[in-house]
Structures are given as structure tokens and as C-alpha cells.
């Protein structure tokens, strides 16, 4: 049996840590400080007697960690998900740290519009590196023919960057490493832009730039 257990940057519920320690494991918690901040924000909202709402992907490990200690909560990602909030007088809202901020703000506004009688408190938990990349991408797209997003296939913020680049009218490819790059992607391209997910190691980004 493995004695040492490493918890990933995505975070986990407190009861999971307690269970692991009770089983005799040595727990090493590598949760990102910005994810820890989201946990603290949600705890604060619950302590105020608010119904906890997480804007994010239901099956994402970070979201599962955020709600893992709660007996009652709602997870929303699109406006049709707001039905479950009807009749709840006090709402406390946080977001998965890698969600696009514009979409998060749209959903919070939709909550306030749809339930004007509800007291809605939103704490912005989208991490700053995610915001910086999303805000910089339109400027990058304006200068480039093709955009390469460096990030693993399971990286939510990398996928969102790829989707944003394509929505801006640019050809975009998401790769986990330089080994996935293909010369034919860049035929006729004059300028290639590179961006990356927030957790992509610098060495992998450097290898992609070196290949290009």
C-alpha cells in the first residue's frame, strides 16, 4: 500500500484528506493557493447562511473538491441550469478558477435578473493567470495567422483558450507537447502565436517555441 499520497493542484474535499490520514497515509497537499482561496470563499458564503452555487463543470475534479463537503449545493454552467435556484432567498456564488470570467459574470447577472427577490453574493474566484491569458488572447489573435495553445487535453482553461481563438476567426491547435505539432498546420502562415494553459510547465512551452 502506498503510504504517501499527493493531492493535485485542483484540490479536494476536507473529508477525503481526513479519510486518507485515518487510513495511515501521509498526505501531501499540493492544492493551488488560488483554488484554496475558492474553498475559503465558499466556506464564508455558507457561513452566512447562503445556498452555495458553483459556476463550473460538474464532473471537473476542482468542482468536485469544492462541493465535496457540502450536503446541499448547486452547480451551474449555462442559463438553463438556473432552474434549480428557484425559491432560494440567499445565494452565495463562486466559480471554478479556470472558467472564462466574462461567462461567469454573465451567469451571475442572469441569476440577479431571473431572481430579483434573491440576495445574490458573488465572490470572484477566477484565478488571475487565467484572466490574464484570456484578456491577452484577442491582442495575440489580431497579430497572428495561426495560434498554438500549449496544454493537456484535460486542461479546462487550455480548451477555453483554444475555443476563444477559434471564435476570433483564427486557426488554433491545442497540443500537450512539441511532439504533437505538425508542419502542415503552418503552411502559408506568416505569424504564429503561442499561449498556454495556467498549469503548463515552462519547459514544455519552451520546447514548443523551439520547434516552431
Amino acid at each position: 500500500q502506498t503510504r504517501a499520497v499527493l493531492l493535485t493542484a485542483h484540490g479536494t474535499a476536507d473529508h477525503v484528506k481526513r479519510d486518507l490520514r485515518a487510513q495511515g497515509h501521509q498526505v501531501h497537499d499540493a492544492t493551488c493557493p488560488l483554488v484554496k482561496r475558492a474553498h475559503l470563499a465558499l466556506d464564508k458564503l455558507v457561513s452566512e447562511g447562503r445556498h452555495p452555487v458553483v459556476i463550473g463543470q460538474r464532473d471537473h475534479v476542482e468542482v468536485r473538491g469544492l462541493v465535496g463537503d457540502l450536503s446541499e449545493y448547486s452547480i451551474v454552467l449555462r442559463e438553463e441550469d438556473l432552474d434549480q435556484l428557484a425559491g432560494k432567498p440567499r445565494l452565495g456564488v463562486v466559480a471554478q478558477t479556470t472558467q472564462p470570467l466574462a461567462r461567469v459574470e454573465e451567469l451571475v447577472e442572469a441569476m440577479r435578473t431571473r431572481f430579483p427577490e434573491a440576495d445574490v453574493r458573488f465572490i470572484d474566484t477566477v484565478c488571475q493567470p487565467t484572466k490574464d491569458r484570456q484578456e491577452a488572447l484577442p491582442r495575440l489573435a489580431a497579430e497572428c495567422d495561426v495560434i498554438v495553445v500549449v496544454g493537456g487535453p484535460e486542461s479546462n482553461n487550455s480548451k477555453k483558450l483554444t475555443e476563444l481563438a477559434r471564435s476570433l476567426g483564427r486557426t488554433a491547435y491545442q497540443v500537450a507537447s512539441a511532439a504533437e505539432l505538425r508542419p502542415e498546420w503552418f503552411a502559408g502562415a506568416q505569424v504564429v502565436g503561442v499561449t498556454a494553459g495556467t498549469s503548463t510547465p515552462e519547459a514544455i512551452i519552451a520546447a514548443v517555441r523551439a520547434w516552431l
Side-chain angles (χ1 to χ4, degrees), residues 9 14 24 28 31 44 65-67 82 98 103 106 139 146 156-157 165-166 189 193:
D14 287 340
H28 300 278
T31 302
K44 178 176 177 58
L66 279 167
V67 302
L82 300 184
T98 54
R103 182 61 185 145
E106 285 173 5
R139 297 194 299 274
V146 177
N156 179 66
N157 67 96
R166 289 171 180 162

Side-chain angles (χ1 to χ4, degrees), residues 34-49:
L34 298 172
V35 174
K36 287 182 178 178
R37 177 175 165 270
H39 280 256
L40 292 172
L42 195 57
D43 289 346
K44 178 176 177 58
L45 293 168
V46 171
S47 73
E48 294 174 358

Side-chain angles (χ1 to χ4, degrees), residues 199-211:
S199 57
T200 304
E202 288 294 332
I204 294 178
I205 301 169
V208 167
R209 291 181 63 187
W211 187 99

Side-chain angles (χ1 to χ4, degrees), residues 3-176:
R3 181 164 177 266
V5 176
L6 177 67
L7 303 179
T8 72
H10 302 95
T12 189
D14 287 340
H15 80 268
V16 172
K17 301 175 195 175
R18 290 194 298 268
D19 291 348
L20 288 167
R21 292 188 177 107
Q23 293 167 22
H25 293 292
Q26 185 180 64
V27 176
H28 300 278
D29 190 351
T31 302
C32 171
L34 298 172
V35 174
K36 287 182 178 178
R37 177 175 165 270
H39 280 256
L40 292 172
L42 195 57
D43 289 346
K44 178 176 177 58
L45 293 168
V46 171
S47 73
E48 294 174 358
R50 299 174 182 277
H51 175 75
V53 181
V54 178
I55 297 174
Q57 295 168 293
R58 179 173 296 276
D59 58 350
H60 194 280
V61 62
E62 181 190 324
V63 175
R64 294 202 306 267
L66 279 167
V67 302
D69 292 313
L70 302 174
S71 57
E72 184 185 8
Y73 57 86
S74 297
I75 300 171
V76 301
L77 192 58
R78 43 191 66 84
E79 291 200 23
E80 53 263 38
D81 298 332
L82 300 184
D83 293 347
Q84 59 192 298
L85 306 180
K88 301 189 183 303
R90 288 167 60 80
L91 300 174
V93 186
V94 300
Q96 180 183 342
T97 58
T98 54
Q99 283 295 313
L101 180 61
R103 182 61 185 145
V104 170
E105 291 175 336
E106 285 173 5
L107 280 169
V108 173
E109 188 57 34
M111 289 177 207
R112 290 181 169 138
T113 300
R114 186 155 170 191
F115 308 111
E117 72 288 352
D119 177 4
V120 179
R121 184 177 178 200
F122 166 56
I123 299 179
D124 179 5
T125 54
V126 177
C127 80
Q128 192 61 46
T130 294
K131 292 176 184 172
D132 291 343
R133 284 164 170 79
Q134 290 169 356
E135 290 170 2
L137 191 55
R139 297 194 299 274
L140 184 67
E143 300 172 2
C144 302
D145 305 307
V146 177
I147 291 177
V148 175
V149 179
V150 189
E154 301 304 316
S155 167
N156 179 66
N157 67 96
S158 297
K159 285 189 279 191
K160 295 300 183 187
L161 286 169
T162 307
E163 291 170 5
L164 177 56
R166 289 171 180 162
S167 74
L168 293 168
R170 291 293 173 266
T171 299
Y173 301 99
Q174 182 178 333
V175 298

